[in-house]
Amino acid sequence: MNVLVINCGSSSLKFQLIDSENEKVIGKGLCERIGIDGSVISFTPNGGEKIVTKSPMKDHTDAIKLVIDALTDEKTGVVKNLNDINAVGHRIVHGGEKFNKATIIDEEVMKAIEECNDLAPLHNPANLIGVRACQNLMPNTPQIAVFDTAFHQTMPEEAYLYGLPYDMYEKYHIRRYGFHGTSHDFVSHAAADMLGKNYDELKTIVCHLGNGASVSAVKNGKCVDTSMGLTPLEGLIMGTRSGDLDPAILEFLCDKENLDIHGVLNILNKKSGVYGLSEELSSDFRDLEDGYIEGKENCIRAVDTFCYRVAKYIGAYTAAMNGVDAICFTAGVGENSGFVREIILKYLGYLGITIDKEINKTRGKAVEISTADSKVKVLVIPTNEELAIARQTVALL
């Protein structure tokens, strides 16, 4: 089965066509600047060179048309026609409490996703535009929704509730939802495979560390806690997001900086995190690592504060599960920065963790970086959300 995986942003669209039989990527690409002057699509067929084409895209329907044209091009395409695309798997950011697994999209599902738009106003509407575009151009092809939040729907009440009046949860569904669920699901399963253990018998902590970052606790095959909350702003310090803070800071900043709540949230989402802590030097950990090694105070501050917050969450989730068997690092920073991993793991010696510093230098490959005598296994596992979406799509169909 050939599965087209679609990930729509407000002005972008990432895609991969995956052969589910061998789980190989047949072709992949990116549409950028949708609805903006200078629209461009890049497409890389398996084993071929990247092809970059400037083409107007007034909306996501135009983008999907260009994706199909690229995939079916006589010279550089990878399939003959639309009939060779058997299903489309869509990344949907927020499914609220309505969805705890992948779902075939029909009008009722579309309506339910729209009802979650208030919880993800920047993401869900764009995701739905992509679905509509595919439905219009591929009306006979099954469309599947795979939700970022679904994996975390197994959290118990004591983990997902906030200390607010309970009627606010009942009326507005204010609770912890968590994100990056497709990644946490994929990596926690991959960890069990690497260790040759039964997934349902492991206690695993997954650290998805990138520009957006989150930690999850997976006990006996179920997520029991995660660091992101109602929105992706809660939890770890991230590239430009603040993560956890005293909520009274919002009113304080409104008064001191003469801002409304939207202005403060803009600071917390786009000007904070390691970017803000480094005095706006960078949100890219490669830059911060270089500055750290050079002894730059702003870089040391940003990296150390980030790593401390990760280590603190790992400790909390070890307590929540009454132990841990494996700690996994994934995503851009987690997979590629042995420097950051080592700083985080220095806090965790009480768990009996020891790492092989030479193996820890490995970048972007699945590897165990803990030593044979380490009481807790520490793994680096590249995430593959597109493959996870394709797998869930095939399993559902």
Side-chain angles (χ1 to χ4, degrees), residues 162-299:
Y162 290 116
L164 294 169
Y166 190 69
D167 68 338
M168 291 187 176
Y169 164 67
E170 292 181 306
K171 286 191 292 187
Y172 307 118
H173 307 290
I174 298 174
R175 52 159 285 178
R176 181 181 309 283
Y177 287 101
F179 299 87
H180 297 142
T182 308
S183 175
H184 287 285
D185 186 8
F186 179 89
V187 171
S188 58
H189 275 92
D193 292 341
M194 279 184 68
L195 296 173
K197 301 288 187 180
N198 189 328
Y199 182 65
D200 296 333
E201 296 176 357
L202 276 178
K203 297 176 181 178
T204 306
I205 295 174
V206 178
C207 304
H208 178 109
L209 308 181
N211 193 52
S214 60
V215 182
S216 68
V218 185
K219 182 179 181 181
N220 301 335
K222 294 182 179 180
C223 177
V224 295
D225 209 341
T226 191
S227 58
M228 285 180 167
L230 176 74
T231 75
L233 183 57
E234 189 182 1
L236 301 178
I237 290 168
M238 306 178 215
T240 61
R241 296 177 193 147
S242 66
D244 296 338
L245 45 71
D246 181 345
I249 291 172
L250 277 70
E251 181 184 25
F252 186 88
L253 286 176
C254 284
D255 293 340
K256 295 295 184 181
E257 296 288 325
N258 193 29
L259 295 167
D260 61 15
I261 190 65
H262 301 292
V264 173
L265 285 173
N266 185 61
I267 291 172
L268 299 186
N269 274 296
K270 298 180 179 179
K271 298 181 180 180
S272 300
V274 294
Y275 175 74
L277 287 169
S278 67
E279 300 172 68
E280 301 186 358
L281 171 69
S282 181
S283 62
D284 190 316
F285 275 80
R286 290 169 293 190
D287 298 330
L288 299 175
E289 183 176 331
D290 290 343
Y292 193 110
I293 293 169
E294 292 169 10
K296 293 182 178 178
E297 184 179 340
N298 57 334
C299 295

Side-chain angles (χ1 to χ4, degrees), residues 323-349:
V324 60
D325 299 309
I327 298 170
C328 306
F329 291 93
T330 192
V333 179
E335 293 169 23
N336 294 296
S337 180
F339 178 80
V340 167
R341 294 192 296 259
E342 185 172 351
I343 295 174
I344 294 168
L345 292 168
K346 282 180 180 177
Y347 286 99
L348 305 175

